[in-house]
């Protein structure tokens, strides 16, 4: 409209310049937005287009679209995994960084899951396909990221509402500027028509409208490349404003796989004690029983001839070996059988206070010894908590079902500031509400399966290990694809920076508009300068947003 107006009032050169500048501005804007879109496309290009399928003794190359579930594919060293599946034969280490963001390769053997788009580094493996090409983890990530980019953040929604009201007002003002002064004899029609056109160009809210979406798309793209799914601008904004983070202990701060920490034999015969315990525990699927079994297997301590295996609900298990009934269970079991524990009462007390779960082993009349089992803390967790503290996260809270002594010990080792202990799953929700009642914006980090209610209650739900669980991908607002917290500090930093950049963009857009408007009426601002200020502001806003793509 500015160009047509310029032609009507005889300013042909101005009109041509306006058209040229607009075209240039649009080309540059499209180029830069294309760059942000590419960050997502690079995810799509991660997966190979063909797979080597095994039929009997033959190996046939097929497009991934034609490979079905339960087909067997062969992946050689150096090749990318074409589809999600389960390893049948072979061992290898696989670089999962493209999906999970994990910095170190992960060892895979029979029964382990491999994901499309990851790189097979060392051995040759045969994999049974578990998902069709459109259902793979990476396909889900791409779909979620694309959806996330469509969803509007609160700031963006506000800016759009603002533009809807603002544009008609400006249009009316420009018309009045063209008509009113010359009607009342202030200057010529041509002069005021020119000023009105300049006002129309300057007031166009291009930079303002583009200020938020480009920043959000850039940040979401950067996060996706690092194995973090942010499901929309809203959650990016929320992550930038979080003041406290609550962690579920098991599987998040700790491995969730207990290990034997100490073996105390009262008859100076460790191997015998471990052998008896292994015999009793081998039939149990309880994590503590499995920890003891694998401890015995690592030390080549075999099982004995046992019979009459029984589980004692909530207390332990028993088996008969060489005609004697042996028990392995918690101290409560032996107290109930009135077996004297006074020899080891002090040891039991100390070990329990230090966060161990105890398995006492003995007969109906005497105690042979005890095995202490503890959950191991993840090193990456401790590093991540330190990094979060460095970037100014002022409250880290641990939620756990453990007793107070264990919770205190783990809190000290992981470096969290507070803990809530002895929680049942539904109490986690109450704990999150308590933090919110203190006036804090709370993020909850969990593994997405039993933590779903707490994730939903928190201001921001962050699930870990998204590559392994579909539930996590669905219930959380932000998904860490790796099964660790390594990328959490990056996500929080990125979100905060995105919020700062959005603020810079909005203020910059508004201030350039005001400055240009002030210069129109004295006549300092020509039409082509008006176009330049509008296009220039939009470009600067885009380039400023694109810094988010490069954040390491």
């Amino acid at each position: 409209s500015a160009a047509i107006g310029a032609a009507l009032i005889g300013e042909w050169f101005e009109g041509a310049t306006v058209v040229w500048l607009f075209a240039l501005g649009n080309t540059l804007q499209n180029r830069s937005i294309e760059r942000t879109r590419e960050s997502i496309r690079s995810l799509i290009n991660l997966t190979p287009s063909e797979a080597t399928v095994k039929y009997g003794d033959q190996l046939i190359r097929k497009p991934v679209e034609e490979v079905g579930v339960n087909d067997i594919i062969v992946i050689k060293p150096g090749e990318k995994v074409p589809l999600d599946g389960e390893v049948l034969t072979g061992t290898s280490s696989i670089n999962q960084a493209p999906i999970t963001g994990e910095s170190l390769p992960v060892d895979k053997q029979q029964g382990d899951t491999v994901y499309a788009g990851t790189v097979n580094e060392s051995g040759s493996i045969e994999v049974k396909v578990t998902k069709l090409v459109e259902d793979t983890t990476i396909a889900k990530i791409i779909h979620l990221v694309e959806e996330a980019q469509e969803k509007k953040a609160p700031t963006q929604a506000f800016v759009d509402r603002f533009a809807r009201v603002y544009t008609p007002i400006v249009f009316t003002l420009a018309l009045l500027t063209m008509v009113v002064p010359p009607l009342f004899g202030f200057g010529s029609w041509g002069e005021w028509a020119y000023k009105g056109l300049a006002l129309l160009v300057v007031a166009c809210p291009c930079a303002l409208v583009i200020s938020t979406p480009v920043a959000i798309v850039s940040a979401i793209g950067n996060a996706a490349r690092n194995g973090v799914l942010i499901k929309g601008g809203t959650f990016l904004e929320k992550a930038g404003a979080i003041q406290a983070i609550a962690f579920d202990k098991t599987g998040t701060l700790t491995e969730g796989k207990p290990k034997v920490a100490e073996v105390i034999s009262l008859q100076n015969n460790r191997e015998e004690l471990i052998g008896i315990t292994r015999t009793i525990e081998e039939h149990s699927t309880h994590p503590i029983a499995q920890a003891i079994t694998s401890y015995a297997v690592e030390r080549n301590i075999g099982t004995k001839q046992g019979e009459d295996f029984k589980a004692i609900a909530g207390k332990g298990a028993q088996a008969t070996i060489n005609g004697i009934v042996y028990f392995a269970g918690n101290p409560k079991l032996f107290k109930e059988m009135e077996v004297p524990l006074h020899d080891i009462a002090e040891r039991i007390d100390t070990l329990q206070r230090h966060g161990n779960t105890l398995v006492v082993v003995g007969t109906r009349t005497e105690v042979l010894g005890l095995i202490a089992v503890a959950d191991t803390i993840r090193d990456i967790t401790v590093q991540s908590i330190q990094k979060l503290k460095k970037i100014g996260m002022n409250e880290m809270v641990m939620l756990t079902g453990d007793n107070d002594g264990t919770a205190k010990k783990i809190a000290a080792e992981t470096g969290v500031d507070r803990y809530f202990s002895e929680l049942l799953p539904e109490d986690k929700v109450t704990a999150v509400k308590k933090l919110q009642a203190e006036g804090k914006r709370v993020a909850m980090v969990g593994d997405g399966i039993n933590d779903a209610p707490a994730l939903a209650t928190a201001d921001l739900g962050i699930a870990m290990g998204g590559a392994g669980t579909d539930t996590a991908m669905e219930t959380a607002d932000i998904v860490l694809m790796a099964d660790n917290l390594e990328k959490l500090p990056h996500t929080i930093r990125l979100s905060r920076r995105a919020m700062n950049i959005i603020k810079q963009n909005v203020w910059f857009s508004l201030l350039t508009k005001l400055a240009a408007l002030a210069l129109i009426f004295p006549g300092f601002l020509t039409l082509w300068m008006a176009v330049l200020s509008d296009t220039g502001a939009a470009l600067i806003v885009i380039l400023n947003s694109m810094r988010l793509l490069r954040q390491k």
Side-chain angles (χ1 to χ4, degrees):
S1 60
I4 295 166
L8 288 177
I9 56 174
E11 298 282 354
W12 293 100
F13 175 74
E14 290 263 339
T17 317
V18 166
V19 170
W20 184 81
L21 281 170
F22 260 127
L24 177 71
N26 271 334
T27 312
L28 289 173
Q29 278 183 40
N30 291 339
R31 284 263 311 267
S32 46
I33 288 174
E34 202 46 40
R35 275 281 306 283
T36 55
R37 289 252 180 266
E38 267 166 31
S39 65
I40 306 310
R41 241 179 254 127
S42 64
L43 285 175
I44 299 173
N45 299 338
L46 280 175
T47 48
S49 55
E50 288 190 321
T52 307
V53 187
K54 187 176 179 184
Y55 291 106
D57 302 337
Q58 281 187 310
L59 294 180
I60 299 169
R61 297 284 288 168
K62 280 176 94 172
V64 284
E65 291 76 19
E66 291 172 22
V67 180
V69 171
N70 293 336
D71 280 0
I72 292 165
I73 54 176
V74 176
I75 304 152
K76 298 188 186 78
E79 288 187 340
K80 281 185 177 173
V81 178
L83 292 153
D84 286 14
E86 187 183 300
V87 180
L88 285 181
T89 59
T91 55
S92 178
S93 69
I94 287 192
N95 177 356
Q96 301 197 139
I99 303 277
T100 63
E102 287 166 287
S103 41
L104 297 171
V106 181
D107 292 332
K108 300 280 182 182
Q109 55 193 27
Q110 189 182 351
D112 289 340
T113 308
V114 293
Y115 303 109
T118 57
V119 183
N120 181 17
E121 295 206 337
S122 48
S124 181
I125 50 175
E126 287 187 10
V127 171
K128 183 174 85 172
V129 176
T130 53
K131 287 180 178 171
L132 296 172
V133 66
E134 61 270 19
D135 302 328
T136 58
T137 304
I138 188 139
K140 273 206 194 101
I141 294 175
I142 293 161
H143 175 67
L144 284 169
V145 169
E146 285 176 341
E147 265 188 3
Q149 293 186 344
E150 300 304 311
K151 285 187 192 145
K152 287 192 175 167
T155 314
Q156 188 181 346
F158 165 75
V159 165
D160 289 352
R161 281 204 307 276
F162 174 79
R164 273 209 299 278
V165 177
Y166 168 86
T167 312
I169 293 175
V170 166
F171 203 79
T172 317
L173 272 178
L175 277 174
L176 291 174
T177 305
M178 291 178 188
V179 177
V180 175
L183 267 182
F184 290 95
F186 298 104
S188 70
W189 287 93
E191 182 188 333
W192 282 102
Y194 187 87
K195 282 182 182 174
L197 288 174
L199 175 65
L200 200 57
V201 172
V202 164
C204 162
C206 282
L208 187 64
V209 170
I210 217 164
S211 59
T212 316
V214 182
I216 283 168
V217 169
S218 301
I220 288 175
N222 178 328
R225 280 210 315 274
N226 282 295
V228 179
L229 269 180
I230 301 175
K231 288 193 181 170
T234 313
F235 308 121
L236 184 76
E237 289 198 4
K238 281 183 179 170
I242 287 298
Q243 294 146 321
I245 302 181
F247 298 93
D248 170 50
K249 185 207 80 168
T250 311
T252 305
L253 298 181
T254 62
E255 295 283 358
K257 295 186 188 84
K259 288 196 174 80
V260 172
E262 211 170 323
V263 176
I264 298 164
S265 167
L266 298 182
Q267 308 186 339
N268 292 331
N269 195 341
R270 282 173 59 101
E271 294 221 349
E272 179 75 2
L273 175 72
I274 296 165
I276 291 170
T277 318
R278 176 180 176 180
T279 311
I280 302 170
E281 299 285 30
E282 204 155 44
H283 294 264
S284 168
T285 53
H286 194 281
I288 290 172
Q290 286 175 337
I292 294 172
T293 307
S294 47
Y295 182 79
V297 171
E298 279 163 27
R299 282 156 190 73
N300 293 323
I301 300 170
T303 42
K304 302 182 175 300
Q305 279 294 308
E307 52 198 14
D308 292 337
F309 295 97
K310 283 196 191 85
I312 307 161
K315 290 169 198 156
Q318 68 180 73
T320 308
I321 302 167
N322 300 335
I324 301 172
V325 183
Y326 287 94
F327 296 89
N330 53 27
K332 204 158 53 181
L333 173 68
F334 285 84
K335 278 184 188 143
E336 282 173 12
M337 295 195 300
E338 294 178 3
V339 179
L341 290 174
H342 49 80
D343 290 357
I344 51 166
E346 210 170 295
R347 301 292 283 277
I348 288 179
D349 217 36
T350 313
L351 284 166
Q352 278 182 331
R353 266 210 315 278
H354 285 109
N356 296 285
T357 304
L358 300 186
V359 177
V360 181
V361 186
T363 62
R364 284 189 195 280
T365 53
E366 64 169 344
V367 170
L368 301 175
L370 54 94
I371 297 177
V373 176
D375 202 348
T376 42
I377 287 168
R378 300 164 164 234
D379 295 337
I380 288 185
T381 296
V382 180
Q383 292 161 18
S384 303
I385 286 180
Q386 292 311 322
K387 279 187 191 157
L388 286 166
K389 282 187 170 171
K390 269 198 196 110
I391 61 172
M393 187 56 63
N394 50 13
E395 188 154 41
M396 316 276 187
V397 186
M398 176 178 83
L399 311 181
T400 175
D402 290 341
N403 62 34
D404 197 70
T406 308
K408 192 174 185 175
K409 175 182 174 249
I410 291 176
E413 284 177 23
T414 49
V416 296
D417 309 298
R418 271 171 89 173
Y419 62 87
F420 292 94
S421 57
E422 297 176 24
L423 301 176
L424 296 166
E426 57 272 23
D427 299 338
K428 288 179 188 171
V429 172
T430 322
V432 168
K433 284 186 176 157
K434 184 174 189 248
L435 290 167
Q436 287 170 327
E438 289 168 15
K440 299 185 183 80
R441 283 189 214 114
V442 183
M444 165 79 191
V445 183
D447 56 11
I449 302 168
N450 53 3
D451 301 323
L455 289 176
T457 308
D459 298 282
L460 185 74
I462 302 174
M464 199 171 90
T469 58
D470 292 346
T471 339
M473 272 190 162
E474 283 151 27
T475 52
D477 308 321
I478 292 181
V479 183
L480 306 171
M481 298 305 289
D483 202 10
N484 61 49
L485 297 174
E486 191 184 2
K487 291 292 189 263
L488 186 57
H490 171 78
T491 310
I492 300 286
R493 255 203 346 262
L494 183 71
S495 309
R496 287 183 178 172
R497 190 154 175 235
M499 295 331 317
N500 286 337
I501 281 181
I502 288 171
K503 282 184 194 133
Q504 290 164 12
N505 287 349
V506 170
W507 279 111
F508 176 75
S509 315
L510 291 172
L511 292 173
T512 45
K513 290 287 164 232
L514 289 172
L517 286 171
L519 293 174
I520 288 174
F521 293 104
F524 293 133
L525 198 78
T526 59
L527 248 188
W528 65 269
M529 281 161 74
V531 173
L532 197 60
S533 80
D534 178 59
T535 308
L539 268 180
I540 288 169
V541 160
I542 290 172
L543 293 171
N544 190 33
S545 301
M546 283 173 65
R547 293 187 307 161
L548 288 164
L549 274 178
R550 287 190 290 278
Q551 179 161 322
K552 291 282 180 287

